């Protein structure tokens, strides 16, 4: 296991990579390849070598989990392995099927010949991890498919089917039948025809006008890469492939790789890679837990959420029955869905036939009776417990046994909702984010009694509808909204204390959020926040009031939809414009509260907003609402526009240093306007900071 197996087929040796699931090129596997090559070299009966992987992957590339550890450079490192292969005195044939990515493709390019299944997935995706191919990919790929194609692939990390390159020097043959048989017969041909040891390094990477092309590439790539340093380094390296000797190009690639792997951007992207895959794992729900079949879905409510949710299932080919109370609401909902599909057809993103096929899967209905065959029903009705009670009682009556009953609530107690039914084990929260057909995040709310197979089904279904599902326990606001309340609160309080609307949004946007908190509030609609604050003030009379925001709410300034909020908007235009009226309100409120405005730096704005997220995140973790810190990061990366190159709030805090975060919080607590106790660090945060541990590391060490 984790290594390579060596056997012989007549005069051909076969090195089979065996490091499931995707043959990541970890140290034992690298050693196995080198051992195999040495063995073949030492056996005079062997005339050629085939390197082959599994059906799933020739190789998914370097083992990313080794990055940043001594194992990554441990000999034989990947460059050494590829040198061994390339300098073998016996021809080496790569037999490629499944994923052939990153270091996997680089290994294949070091072989003398390559045969491939037409549907093998070819890619140099390193840029998505904030690095560039570091084992010769930037030098060899341009030599086989040309500089322009290679640069496009390297800069985008795009995955291409092997058949796209049929006829290029990347592949010598496409194999339609059994890959090993095809590779063996190709190797026999090489031997019998005494074909030469072809080395990609000896080819020329050509471009008719390198100077113009790379200048253009640098401008274009630089304009989109913004906060990511890797893409421009890719341009430098591919340029070197065209303009410099192979060994010099390798040196340039190696230097760039060594630099990029230590950047905070790469660390964040690698964190996100693993975090994304971890979210689907629930420790007490093993991956072989049986799931329920979801062949028919019911959605209650044909408003914005209900229609958005429905589209996800229609896109996946799952029929949806949408139930509304009144015909006109139902008609509006169906028209809204049709409009989405028409838009996609118009933009060329979908064919007319596919759009019609999706629409044909919708059954509009005015009665719950039509839900009796549904395997899953999701309610997306008004956010009020009484309304949910009547919906779930009705569902309990009409739905078949085993149907999953889901609420799209964003705040309410899913356990209470479950208690309205006689089958709480079948009840779950599926919290979609608006627009539900576009946003990647799905919070899966696990109630006290939610059955394990219901959880497993929800996680599987999320993959079917291409969502990133993150499990959350039951609490007010679940993971995402519970945290964002603290972040928005800080923004609103700083507005009272001395910052301007523009300054707050600018600081947060410069940090990398897609939108500052006040612009976001205007977009989402201030009425929801206004209502939530009123409830919170009633529940917690000592809570610091966000008076400016409340005053704007009282004035009916609910953001874009009312033409004004923290900004003003021209009719039909979403551009946020400075509004002196708001400045006036801010001044009045400061006077009323006796606040002498002080200068608030961008650093304070960012730290107070982000550390408020982190502290609440730590509480959510210690309460067991989130399974792990990386899940919280995924919520923020996929649902709240947190900059991906910062890896999510918890990862970001760990990079800043949790002790530094705690110290900053202690400073904020000294602020005369601070609410007593608000900046008290969560116990978990304090412990991790004191022990120098990362959040998830602390949880793991505690469980050992
Ligand atoms: N290293 C370590 N683990 C890897 C890995 C890699 N390169 N690629 C995938 N894995 C792991 C995943 O973390 C996951 O682990 P889990 O089962 O514990 O969750 C498991 O393999 C399966 O991965 P997926 O769930 O993603 O499986 P899919 O079948 O959906 O996709 C894949 C397979 C297309 C290979 C996809 O995993 C992928 O894109 N992997 C990353 C490829 C990549 O970025 N390669 C470049 C690595 S960097 C490099 O090579 C540097 C070199 O230039 C020097």
């Amino acid at each position: 296991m984790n290594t390579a197996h060596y056997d012989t087929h007549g005069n051909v040796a076969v090195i089979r990579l065996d490091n499931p699931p995707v043959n990541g090129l970890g140290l034992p596997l690298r050693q196995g390849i080198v051992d195999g090559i040495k063995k073949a070299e030492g056996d005079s009966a062997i005339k050629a070598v085939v390197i082959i992987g599994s059906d799933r992957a020739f190789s998914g590339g370097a083992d990313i989990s080794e990055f940043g550890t001594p194992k990554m450079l441990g000999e034989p490192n990947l460059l050494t392995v590829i040198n061994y292969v390339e300098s073998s005195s016996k021809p080496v044939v790569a037999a490629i099927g499944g994923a052939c990515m990153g270091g996997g493709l680089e290994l294949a390019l070091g072989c003398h010949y390559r045969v491939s299944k037409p549907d093998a997935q070819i890619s140099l995706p390193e840029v998505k991890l904030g690095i560039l191919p570091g084992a010769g990919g930037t030098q060899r790929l341009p030599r086989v498919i040309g500089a322009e194609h290679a640069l496009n692939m390297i800069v985008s990390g795009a995955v291409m089917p092997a058949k796209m390159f049929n006829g290029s020097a990347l592949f010598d043959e496409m194999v339609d039948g059994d890959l090993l048989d095809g590779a063996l017969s190709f190797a026999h041909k090489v031997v019998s025809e005494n074909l030469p040891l072809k080395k990609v390094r000896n080819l020329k990477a050509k471009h008719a006008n390198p100077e113009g092309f790379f200048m253009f590439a640098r401008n274009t790539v630089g304009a989109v890469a913004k906060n990511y340093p890797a893409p421009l380094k890719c341009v430098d390296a591919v340029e070197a492939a065209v303009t410099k000797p192979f060994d010099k190009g390798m040196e340039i690639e190696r230097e760039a790789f060594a630099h990029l792997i230590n950047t905070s951007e790469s660390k964040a992207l690698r964190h996100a890679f693993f975090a994304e895959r971890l979210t689907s794992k629930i420790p007490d729900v093993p991956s072989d837990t049986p799931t329920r079949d979801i062949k028919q879905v019911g959605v209650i409510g044909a408003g914005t959420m209900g229609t958005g949710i429905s589209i996800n299932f229609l896109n996946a080919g799952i029929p949806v029955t949408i139930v509304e109370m009144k015909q006109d609401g139902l008609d509006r909902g169906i028209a809204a869905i049709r409009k989405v599909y028409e838009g996609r057809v118009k933009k060329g993103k979908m064919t007319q036939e596919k759009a019609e096929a999706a629409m044909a899967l919708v059954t509009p209905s005015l009665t719950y009776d039509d839900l009796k065959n549904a395997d899953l029903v999701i309610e997306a009705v008004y956010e009020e417990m009484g309304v949910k009670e009547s919906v779930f009682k009705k569902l309990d009556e009409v739905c078949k046994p085993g149907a999953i009953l889901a609420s799209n609530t964003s705040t309410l107690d899913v356990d209470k909702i479950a208690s309205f039914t006689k089958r709480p084990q079948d009840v779950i929260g599926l919290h979609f984010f608006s627009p539900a057909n576009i946003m990647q995040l799905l919070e899966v709310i696990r109630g006290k009694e939610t059955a394990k197979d219901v959880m497993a089904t929800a996680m599987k279904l999320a993959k079917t509808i291409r969502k990133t599902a993150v499990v959350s326990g039951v609490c007010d606001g679940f993971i995402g909204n519970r945290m964002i309340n603290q972040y928005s609160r800080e923004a609103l309080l700083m507005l009272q204390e001395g910052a301007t609307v523009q300054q707050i949004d600018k600081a947060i946007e410069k940090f990398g959020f897609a939108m500052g908190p006040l612009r976001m509030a205007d977009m989402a609609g201030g009425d929801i926040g206004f209502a939530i604050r009123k409830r919170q003030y009633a529940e917690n009379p000592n809570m610091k009031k966000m008076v400016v925001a409340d005053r704007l709410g009282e004035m009916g300034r609910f953001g874009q939809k009312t033409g004004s909020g923290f900004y003003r908007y021209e009719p039909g235009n979403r551009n946020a414009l400075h509004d002196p009226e708001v400045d006036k309100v801010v001044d009045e409120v400061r006077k009323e509260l006796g606040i002498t405005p002080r200068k608030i730096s961008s650093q304070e704005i960012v730290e107070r907003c982000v550390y408020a997220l982190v502290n609440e995140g730590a509480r959510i973790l210690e309460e067991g609402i989130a399974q792990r810190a990386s899940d919280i990061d995924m919520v923020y990366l996929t649902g709240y526009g947190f900059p991906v190159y910062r890896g999510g709030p918890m990862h970001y805090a760990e990079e800043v240093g949790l002790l530094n975060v705690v110290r900053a919080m202690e400073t904020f607590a000294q602020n005369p306007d601070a609410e007593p106790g608000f900046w008290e660090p969560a116990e978990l945060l304090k412990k991790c900071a004191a022990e120098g541990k990362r959040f998830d590391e602390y949880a793991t060490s505690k469980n050992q």
Side-chain angles (χ1 to χ4, degrees), residues 589-608:
V589 168
R590 284 176 186 162
K591 276 194 197 111
E592 279 168 36
L593 298 176
I595 294 175
T596 312
R598 65 183 174 90
K599 202 166 168 347
I600 297 187
S601 67
S602 298
Q603 184 185 347
E604 180 175 342
I605 293 172
V606 168
E607 288 184 352
R608 278 177 59 181

Side-chain angles (χ1 to χ4, degrees), residues 20-25 56-57 59-67 78 99 101-104 106 121 124-126 128-129 131-137 159 257 273-274 277-278 280-281 463:
V22 299
N23 286 324
L25 289 157
R56 186 169 175 186
S59 166
D63 183 344
I64 307 164
S65 64
E66 280 187 353
F67 286 10
L78 195 50
M101 298 187 166
E106 292 173 302
Q121 304 149 257
L124 286 177
E126 285 86 344
K128 294 183 179 165
L129 300 171
I131 52 175
L132 87 176
V159 181
F257 184 86
F273 176 85
F274 287 115
R277 284 157 180 82
L278 264 179
S280 61
K281 299 186 171 61
K463 281 201 177 134

Side-chain angles (χ1 to χ4, degrees), residues 497 598 600 604 608 666-675 679:
E497 291 169 29
R598 65 183 174 90
I600 297 187
E604 180 175 342
R608 278 177 59 181
E666 284 162 0
T667 315
F668 302 147
Q670 307 298 318
N671 174 352
D673 294 311
E675 180 183 320
W679 285 110

